[in-house]
Amino acid sequence: MESERYRRGWEKLKEVDGHAGEKVIESLKDIAPDLGRYTIEFPFGDIYSRPGLDLRSREIAVVAALTALGNAAPQLRVHIHGALNVGVTREEVVEIITMMAVYAGFPAALNGIAAAKEVFSERDRDGKS
Amino acid sequence: MESERYRRGWEKLKEVDGHAGEKVIESLKDIAPDLGRYTIEFPFGDIYSRPGLDLRSREIAVVAALTALGNAAPQLRVHIHGALNVGVTREEVVEIITMMAVYAGFPAALNGIAAAKEVFSERDRDGKS
Amino acid sequence: MESERYRRGWEKLKEVDGHAGEKVIESLKDIAPDLGRYTIEFPFGDIYSRPGLDLRSREIAVVAALTALGNAAPQLRVHIHGALNVGVTREEVVEIITMMAVYAGFPAALNGIAAAKEVFSERDRDGKS
Amino acid sequence: MESERYRRGWEKLKEVDGHAGEKVIESLKDIAPDLGRYTIEFPFGDIYSRPGLDLRSREIAVVAALTALGNAAPQLRVHIHGALNVGVTREEVVEIITMMAVYAGFPAALNGIAAAKEVFSERDRDGKS
Amino acid sequence: MESERYRRGWEKLKEVDGHAGEKVIESLKDIAPDLGRYTIEFPFGDIYSRPGLDLRSREIAVVAALTALGNAAPQLRVHIHGALNVGVTREEVVEIITMMAVYAGFPAALNGIAAAKEVFSERDRDGKS
Amino acid sequence: MESERYRRGWEKLKEVDGHAGEKVIESLKDIAPDLGRYTIEFPFGDIYSRPGLDLRSREIAVVAALTALGNAAPQLRVHIHGALNVGVTREEVVEIITMMAVYAGFPAALNGIAAAKEVFSERDRDGKS
């Protein structure tokens, strides 16, 4: 069962966050491998695998939340990738982040756009939408 | 033009937040009427009226962000109403808030659920979905 | 296995948070039972059950973090109970919270002390240390 | 010297926060008297007593910061009193809080105005400006 | 009218934030031009142009708030420039940031001073006060 | 007395934070020397010197709080050094930070681990535990 959560989480992580997600887990291997395992099991094996909300809506929620919190730039970039990977368009990503000016202030929105700019450039280089 | 933003914002505010939104503006009348006017003009007249993202996705983003921030309970309740008003289901609201356990911690998610519980009870009393 | 995590988590939850923890899970039953299950499985079944750090140190960490965040009063109260349940003294709880004046500001520390005051009164009524 | 900081801080606390400040210190007496002493010595004995910035500017800074943080309502109310006590007008208080809609989002500003409303009502009852 | 807000905002942006503000707007042109427009219209065209509070007090409020929030370093630097541009002295900037040790903790104040150090160096190079 | 707090604080700062702490104070000398002095006097001369909680528990509290806040990376690194200097093991540091995934979200924990990784590497180079 435990291993079923891990296997399911790993599949979901690859589906949503692709290479960026795998690199996060990789970077934890030598220092906090159990945090790596939990990151696969709980967020992806448990939460993302739930049927009650489509992946597109999940990524909209996460991009909004991380933009609003404003203290998790690496994870925001991973989830902007994630949003684009599951069908949110670049225009919609910009729209979600812009909207956070209302709820978390203009600095949060401006820093969110800076993160989006980096992700879009990286994807341009890789020929991704 | 200015008044066009206000008129458009007021329509949008009523569409999304219904009575709860109007009460917020009403409560500002005697102390900060201009903040009330800005709340109509910028968030609703400018942002919510933009074509690039559907209302359902906007409310998903706002419920997620306010749950994650964890310091805006009255506004979270208004936007849980808003989400339900524009077609997000109660199950999806619970799903979005539950998901914030991953991104902002279990306390944020638990307090978000407490807000949802209050809103759902109020809507039960009013015979709303 | 899944049920083993739940069983182990439930034992740990009772050991640390006692009645206060059970009430949190109870309150989730009708609205977000899965969040209740996750709260038992991940924080308590996975994290609190790890051997690498004693319970006393864990509760010191949590009381400090929730005082510093300043937006999770109900959870702070639960974990002040938890700290006292696993052997942290009232004087040490006050010391940890006071210390947060340095790292998160005096308002965070003052509001943390207000939470401690409520918990100590409740425990006085119940004849607990 | 130590006692000089305390004496100077106590005078400054009374000048800025009046009765509201004294009540905060009073409430700490039985649970965390040293935090009460530090609150007098460091913020008021050291910081507020510095010559480099006038009291009016100091209170503008604090009202802005506590509105933006959004998790310290009791302290925000004390410092709205403080601002009014040292010559900031009610209109200016509303202006500072409104401005935080830009930097910390509309929820922060709306909750700040709610705090101001309570303070203004209390001062109306007490016949204060 | 819309264009009047923009024109007025642009003038105010240049008055307060000078070149640093213009660069922010410039950087948004290709990715989120509407967020750039809103940044001119709402914060500067609406808020900063209000008569109820002098520019000096406004910048004191913003430097305090962004130091306290601690997650908006680029915007804090822009507004330290802004404060100096409208007549706040370097000593007063240091005083405001130092004061945030009390309200948001020493880390927030220390990181705010690091931002001020960068801005002061840049202005030294440019021969600005 | 004043100088006694300073002397006591300086000794404690060296005991806990070693060279990293001294560098922080040094960097404040030319821009905000009084903030440097307060950093020695209040956190170290007053708080860390109190008898009610051992240094190990204090550093556990601070590492937890700064990981949870997520906006004070330089100070988190200083206090990971501090924790290791006063006898917390690397495994325990990883355990405390991992635990913050529950209370402040996975991004906070992941960024905390990244800080720990830098500190551990630096100490490896210096032959420290």
Side-chain angles (χ1 to χ4, degrees), chain F residues 7 9 13 18 20 34 42 49 52 56 67 69 73-75 80 83 86 89 93 97-99 101 104 115 118 125:
Chain F
R7 194 198 55 70
L13 175 78
D34 286 350
F42 178 57
S49 299
R56 183 189 139 83
T67 300
L69 289 172
Q75 290 77 29
I80 292 173
V86 300
T89 67
V93 165
I97 294 173
T98 296
M99 197 181 185
E118 285 184 57
R125 283 196 303 273

PDB file of all heavy atoms in Angstrom, chain F residues 7 9 13 18 20 34 42 49 52 56 67 69 73-75 80 83 86 89 93 97-99 101 104 115 118 125:
ATOM      1  N   ARG F   7      28.109  43.174  26.774  1.00  0.00           N
ATOM      2  CA  ARG F   7      29.211  42.229  26.991  1.00  0.00           C
ATOM      3  C   ARG F   7      28.677  40.783  27.048  1.00  0.00           C
ATOM      4  O   ARG F   7      29.194  39.877  26.407  1.00  0.00           O
ATOM      5  CB  ARG F   7      29.929  42.581  28.304  1.00  0.00           C
ATOM      6  CG  ARG F   7      31.289  41.912  28.489  1.00  0.00           C
ATOM      7  CD  ARG F   7      31.735  41.933  29.932  1.00  0.00           C
ATOM      8  NE  ARG F   7      30.753  41.353  30.829  1.00  0.00           N
ATOM      9  CZ  ARG F   7      30.444  40.050  30.889  1.00  0.00           C
ATOM     10  NH1 ARG F   7      31.044  39.172  30.113  1.00  0.00           N
ATOM     11  NH2 ARG F   7      29.509  39.616  31.729  1.00  0.00           N
ATOM     12  N   GLY F   9      25.824  39.727  25.871  1.00  0.00           N
ATOM     13  CA  GLY F   9      25.261  39.373  24.574  1.00  0.00           C
ATOM     14  C   GLY F   9      26.338  38.968  23.575  1.00  0.00           C
ATOM     15  O   GLY F   9      26.171  38.004  22.817  1.00  0.00           O
ATOM     16  N   LEU F  13      26.537  35.531  21.700  1.00  0.00           N
ATOM     17  CA  LEU F  13      26.528  35.520  20.228  1.00  0.00           C
ATOM     18  C   LEU F  13      27.667  34.661  19.700  1.00  0.00           C
ATOM     19  O   LEU F  13      27.485  33.855  18.778  1.00  0.00           O
ATOM     20  CB  LEU F  13      26.656  36.950  19.685  1.00  0.00           C
ATOM     21  CG  LEU F  13      26.775  37.082  18.152  1.00  0.00           C
ATOM     22  CD1 LEU F  13      25.414  36.908  17.498  1.00  0.00           C
ATOM     23  CD2 LEU F  13      27.358  38.437  17.742  1.00  0.00           C
ATOM     24  N   GLY F  18      28.940  31.856  16.471  1.00  0.00           N
ATOM     25  CA  GLY F  18      30.334  31.854  16.051  1.00  0.00           C
ATOM     26  C   GLY F  18      30.633  32.965  15.063  1.00  0.00           C
ATOM     27  O   GLY F  18      30.107  34.078  15.175  1.00  0.00           O
ATOM     28  N   ALA F  20      29.738  33.386  11.979  1.00  0.00           N
ATOM     29  CA  ALA F  20      28.610  33.853  11.169  1.00  0.00           C
ATOM     30  C   ALA F  20      27.887  35.013  11.855  1.00  0.00           C
ATOM     31  O   ALA F  20      27.495  35.986  11.212  1.00  0.00           O
ATOM     32  CB  ALA F  20      27.638  32.706  10.905  1.00  0.00           C
ATOM     33  N   ASP F  34      23.617  50.952  15.388  1.00  0.00           N
ATOM     34  CA  ASP F  34      22.734  50.762  16.548  1.00  0.00           C
ATOM     35  C   ASP F  34      21.898  49.492  16.414  1.00  0.00           C
ATOM     36  O   ASP F  34      21.629  48.819  17.410  1.00  0.00           O
ATOM     37  CB  ASP F  34      21.810  51.970  16.731  1.00  0.00           C
ATOM     38  CG  ASP F  34      22.569  53.165  17.292  1.00  0.00           C
ATOM     39  OD1 ASP F  34      23.734  52.993  17.713  1.00  0.00           O
ATOM     40  OD2 ASP F  34      22.002  54.267  17.302  1.00  0.00           O
ATOM     41  N   PHE F  42      19.609  42.770  22.864  1.00  0.00           N
ATOM     42  CA  PHE F  42      18.300  42.200  23.156  1.00  0.00           C
ATOM     43  C   PHE F  42      18.235  40.689  22.885  1.00  0.00           C
ATOM     44  O   PHE F  42      18.016  39.906  23.820  1.00  0.00           O
ATOM     45  CB  PHE F  42      17.181  42.976  22.449  1.00  0.00           C
ATOM     46  CG  PHE F  42      15.820  42.392  22.675  1.00  0.00           C
ATOM     47  CD1 PHE F  42      15.324  42.226  23.960  1.00  0.00           C
ATOM     48  CD2 PHE F  42      15.032  41.971  21.612  1.00  0.00           C
ATOM     49  CE1 PHE F  42      14.074  41.647  24.193  1.00  0.00           C
ATOM     50  CE2 PHE F  42      13.792  41.392  21.828  1.00  0.00           C
ATOM     51  CZ  PHE F  42      13.314  41.225  23.122  1.00  0.00           C
ATOM     52  N   SER F  49      20.377  34.694  27.053  1.00  0.00           N
ATOM     53  CA  SER F  49      21.070  34.539  28.333  1.00  0.00           C
ATOM     54  C   SER F  49      20.133  34.130  29.460  1.00  0.00           C
ATOM     55  O   SER F  49      20.575  33.949  30.596  1.00  0.00           O
ATOM     56  CB  SER F  49      21.760  35.865  28.700  1.00  0.00           C
ATOM     57  OG  SER F  49      22.711  36.205  27.719  1.00  0.00           O
ATOM     58  N   GLY F  52      15.827  29.961  31.653  1.00  0.00           N
ATOM     59  CA  GLY F  52      14.663  29.069  31.610  1.00  0.00           C
ATOM     60  C   GLY F  52      14.607  28.042  30.498  1.00  0.00           C
ATOM     61  O   GLY F  52      13.689  27.210  30.453  1.00  0.00           O
ATOM     62  N   ARG F  56      20.191  24.368  23.315  1.00  0.00           N
ATOM     63  CA  ARG F  56      19.766  23.394  22.313  1.00  0.00           C
ATOM     64  C   ARG F  56      18.279  23.599  21.958  1.00  0.00           C
ATOM     65  O   ARG F  56      17.910  23.686  20.790  1.00  0.00           O
ATOM     66  CB  ARG F  56      19.992  21.984  22.878  1.00  0.00           C
ATOM     67  CG  ARG F  56      19.662  20.866  21.951  1.00  0.00           C
ATOM     68  CD  ARG F  56      19.716  19.516  22.704  1.00  0.00           C
ATOM     69  NE  ARG F  56      18.618  18.705  22.263  1.00  0.00           N
ATOM     70  CZ  ARG F  56      18.635  17.966  21.159  1.00  0.00           C
ATOM     71  NH1 ARG F  56      19.713  17.903  20.428  1.00  0.00           N
ATOM     72  NH2 ARG F  56      17.564  17.285  20.786  1.00  0.00           N
ATOM     73  N   THR F  67      12.382  28.538   9.355  1.00  0.00           N
ATOM     74  CA  THR F  67      11.959  27.685   8.234  1.00  0.00           C
ATOM     75  C   THR F  67      10.495  27.943   7.901  1.00  0.00           C
ATOM     76  O   THR F  67      10.128  28.087   6.735  1.00  0.00           O
ATOM     77  CB  THR F  67      12.145  26.197   8.585  1.00  0.00           C
ATOM     78  OG1 THR F  67      13.528  25.953   8.859  1.00  0.00           O
ATOM     79  CG2 THR F  67      11.689  25.300   7.444  1.00  0.00           C
ATOM     80  N   LEU F  69       8.624  30.660   8.557  1.00  0.00           N
ATOM     81  CA  LEU F  69       8.394  31.994   8.008  1.00  0.00           C
ATOM     82  C   LEU F  69       8.804  32.054   6.540  1.00  0.00           C
ATOM     83  O   LEU F  69       8.154  32.698   5.729  1.00  0.00           O
ATOM     84  CB  LEU F  69       9.155  33.051   8.813  1.00  0.00           C
ATOM     85  CG  LEU F  69       8.588  33.325  10.211  1.00  0.00           C
ATOM     86  CD1 LEU F  69       9.537  34.235  10.998  1.00  0.00           C
ATOM     87  CD2 LEU F  69       7.204  33.993  10.126  1.00  0.00           C
ATOM     88  N   ALA F  73      16.160  33.663   4.713  1.00  0.00           N
ATOM     89  CA  ALA F  73      17.168  32.643   4.415  1.00  0.00           C
ATOM     90  C   ALA F  73      18.525  32.922   5.069  1.00  0.00           C
ATOM     91  O   ALA F  73      19.130  31.999   5.617  1.00  0.00           O
ATOM     92  CB  ALA F  73      17.318  32.480   2.896  1.00  0.00           C
ATOM     93  N   PRO F  74      19.038  34.168   5.034  1.00  0.00           N
ATOM     94  CA  PRO F  74      20.362  34.376   5.640  1.00  0.00           C
ATOM     95  C   PRO F  74      20.355  34.053   7.135  1.00  0.00           C
ATOM     96  O   PRO F  74      21.296  33.459   7.650  1.00  0.00           O
ATOM     97  CB  PRO F  74      20.644  35.874   5.417  1.00  0.00           C
ATOM     98  CG  PRO F  74      19.702  36.302   4.332  1.00  0.00           C
ATOM     99  CD  PRO F  74      18.512  35.409   4.440  1.00  0.00           C
ATOM    100  N   GLN F  75      19.295  34.439   7.833  1.00  0.00           N
ATOM    101  CA  GLN F  75      19.210  34.195   9.273  1.00  0.00           C
ATOM    102  C   GLN F  75      18.998  32.705   9.553  1.00  0.00           C
ATOM    103  O   GLN F  75      19.499  32.188  10.543  1.00  0.00           O
ATOM    104  CB  GLN F  75      18.083  35.025   9.890  1.00  0.00           C
ATOM    105  CG  GLN F  75      18.365  36.525   9.919  1.00  0.00           C
ATOM    106  CD  GLN F  75      18.189  37.197   8.570  1.00  0.00           C
ATOM    107  OE1 GLN F  75      17.384  36.735   7.753  1.00  0.00           O
ATOM    108  NE2 GLN F  75      18.927  38.247   8.294  1.00  0.00           N
ATOM    109  N   ILE F  80      21.129  27.612  11.595  1.00  0.00           N
ATOM    110  CA  ILE F  80      21.470  26.192  11.411  1.00  0.00           C
ATOM    111  C   ILE F  80      22.908  25.987  11.918  1.00  0.00           C
ATOM    112  O   ILE F  80      23.181  25.028  12.642  1.00  0.00           O
ATOM    113  CB  ILE F  80      21.301  25.760   9.933  1.00  0.00           C
ATOM    114  CG1 ILE F  80      19.805  25.777   9.564  1.00  0.00           C
ATOM    115  CG2 ILE F  80      21.885  24.364   9.710  1.00  0.00           C
ATOM    116  CD1 ILE F  80      19.514  25.546   8.092  1.00  0.00           C
ATOM    117  N   ALA F  83      22.564  26.001  15.686  1.00  0.00           N
ATOM    118  CA  ALA F  83      22.045  24.741  16.228  1.00  0.00           C
ATOM    119  C   ALA F  83      23.157  23.698  16.292  1.00  0.00           C
ATOM    120  O   ALA F  83      23.344  23.022  17.307  1.00  0.00           O
ATOM    121  CB  ALA F  83      20.880  24.247  15.361  1.00  0.00           C
ATOM    122  N   VAL F  86      25.704  24.269  19.080  1.00  0.00           N
ATOM    123  CA  VAL F  86      25.334  23.997  20.479  1.00  0.00           C
ATOM    124  C   VAL F  86      24.866  22.555  20.681  1.00  0.00           C
ATOM    125  O   VAL F  86      24.242  22.244  21.691  1.00  0.00           O
ATOM    126  CB  VAL F  86      24.258  24.986  20.997  1.00  0.00           C
ATOM    127  CG1 VAL F  86      24.777  26.418  20.913  1.00  0.00           C
ATOM    128  CG2 VAL F  86      22.931  24.833  20.271  1.00  0.00           C
ATOM    129  N   THR F  89      22.293  17.741  16.237  1.00  0.00           N
ATOM    130  CA  THR F  89      22.984  17.016  15.165  1.00  0.00           C
ATOM    131  C   THR F  89      22.408  17.414  13.795  1.00  0.00           C
ATOM    132  O   THR F  89      21.313  17.949  13.697  1.00  0.00           O
ATOM    133  CB  THR F  89      22.826  15.495  15.311  1.00  0.00           C
ATOM    134  OG1 THR F  89      21.445  15.160  15.097  1.00  0.00           O
ATOM    135  CG2 THR F  89      23.262  15.032  16.698  1.00  0.00           C
ATOM    136  N   VAL F  93      18.608  18.541  12.690  1.00  0.00           N
ATOM    137  CA  VAL F  93      18.281  19.731  11.897  1.00  0.00           C
ATOM    138  C   VAL F  93      17.372  19.345  10.731  1.00  0.00           C
ATOM    139  O   VAL F  93      16.358  19.997  10.476  1.00  0.00           O
ATOM    140  CB  VAL F  93      19.571  20.430  11.379  1.00  0.00           C
ATOM    141  CG1 VAL F  93      19.252  21.430  10.285  1.00  0.00           C
ATOM    142  CG2 VAL F  93      20.300  21.116  12.528  1.00  0.00           C
ATOM    143  N   ILE F  97      13.403  20.608  10.138  1.00  0.00           N
ATOM    144  CA  ILE F  97      12.987  21.281   8.898  1.00  0.00           C
ATOM    145  C   ILE F  97      11.938  20.448   8.168  1.00  0.00           C
ATOM    146  O   ILE F  97      10.940  20.977   7.671  1.00  0.00           O
ATOM    147  CB  ILE F  97      14.214  21.548   7.999  1.00  0.00           C
ATOM    148  CG1 ILE F  97      15.148  22.555   8.687  1.00  0.00           C
ATOM    149  CG2 ILE F  97      13.782  22.060   6.634  1.00  0.00           C
ATOM    150  CD1 ILE F  97      16.481  22.766   7.970  1.00  0.00           C
ATOM    151  N   THR F  98      12.150  19.132   8.103  1.00  0.00           N
ATOM    152  CA  THR F  98      11.178  18.245   7.455  1.00  0.00           C
ATOM    153  C   THR F  98       9.799  18.400   8.090  1.00  0.00           C
ATOM    154  O   THR F  98       8.775  18.464   7.407  1.00  0.00           O
ATOM    155  CB  THR F  98      11.636  16.771   7.589  1.00  0.00           C
ATOM    156  OG1 THR F  98      12.874  16.619   6.874  1.00  0.00           O
ATOM    157  CG2 THR F  98      10.606  15.807   7.026  1.00  0.00           C
ATOM    158  N   MET F  99       9.803  18.507   9.411  1.00  0.00           N
ATOM    159  CA  MET F  99       8.558  18.627  10.163  1.00  0.00           C
ATOM    160  C   MET F  99       7.766  19.885   9.781  1.00  0.00           C
ATOM    161  O   MET F  99       6.539  19.927   9.922  1.00  0.00           O
ATOM    162  CB  MET F  99       8.939  18.694  11.640  1.00  0.00           C
ATOM    163  CG  MET F  99       7.790  18.417  12.566  1.00  0.00           C
ATOM    164  SD  MET F  99       8.403  18.556  14.273  1.00  0.00           S
ATOM    165  CE  MET F  99       6.918  18.044  15.121  1.00  0.00           C
ATOM    166  N   ALA F 101       7.120  20.883   6.938  1.00  0.00           N
ATOM    167  CA  ALA F 101       6.199  20.577   5.838  1.00  0.00           C
ATOM    168  C   ALA F 101       4.764  20.486   6.339  1.00  0.00           C
ATOM    169  O   ALA F 101       3.822  20.866   5.650  1.00  0.00           O
ATOM    170  CB  ALA F 101       6.601  19.270   5.151  1.00  0.00           C
ATOM    171  N   ALA F 104       3.933  24.515   7.835  1.00  0.00           N
ATOM    172  CA  ALA F 104       4.051  25.677   6.954  1.00  0.00           C
ATOM    173  C   ALA F 104       4.061  25.297   5.482  1.00  0.00           C
ATOM    174  O   ALA F 104       4.197  26.177   4.627  1.00  0.00           O
ATOM    175  CB  ALA F 104       5.319  26.459   7.305  1.00  0.00           C
ATOM    176  N   ALA F 115      18.719  25.419   2.466  1.00  0.00           N
ATOM    177  CA  ALA F 115      19.589  26.200   3.349  1.00  0.00           C
ATOM    178  C   ALA F 115      20.507  25.290   4.157  1.00  0.00           C
ATOM    179  O   ALA F 115      21.708  25.567   4.308  1.00  0.00           O
ATOM    180  CB  ALA F 115      18.743  27.065   4.285  1.00  0.00           C
ATOM    181  N   GLU F 118      23.467  24.002   2.086  1.00  0.00           N
ATOM    182  CA  GLU F 118      24.557  24.982   1.977  1.00  0.00           C
ATOM    183  C   GLU F 118      25.399  25.017   3.238  1.00  0.00           C
ATOM    184  O   GLU F 118      26.632  25.047   3.183  1.00  0.00           O
ATOM    185  CB  GLU F 118      23.982  26.389   1.750  1.00  0.00           C
ATOM    186  CG  GLU F 118      23.464  26.628   0.353  1.00  0.00           C
ATOM    187  CD  GLU F 118      22.999  28.075   0.200  1.00  0.00           C
ATOM    188  OE1 GLU F 118      23.801  29.000   0.429  1.00  0.00           O
ATOM    189  OE2 GLU F 118      21.809  28.281  -0.117  1.00  0.00           O
ATOM    190  N   ARG F 125      33.647  21.706   4.386  1.00  0.00           N
ATOM    191  CA  ARG F 125      34.889  22.360   3.942  1.00  0.00           C
ATOM    192  C   ARG F 125      35.736  22.801   5.121  1.00  0.00           C
ATOM    193  O   ARG F 125      36.962  22.793   5.061  1.00  0.00           O
ATOM    194  CB  ARG F 125      34.558  23.597   3.084  1.00  0.00           C
ATOM    195  CG  ARG F 125      34.135  23.267   1.662  1.00  0.00           C
ATOM    196  CD  ARG F 125      34.201  24.488   0.764  1.00  0.00           C
ATOM    197  NE  ARG F 125      33.387  25.603   1.257  1.00  0.00           N
ATOM    198  CZ  ARG F 125      32.090  25.772   0.989  1.00  0.00           C
ATOM    199  NH1 ARG F 125      31.446  24.900   0.238  1.00  0.00           N
ATOM    200  NH2 ARG F 125      31.435  26.804   1.467  1.00  0.00           N
TER     201      ARG F 125
END
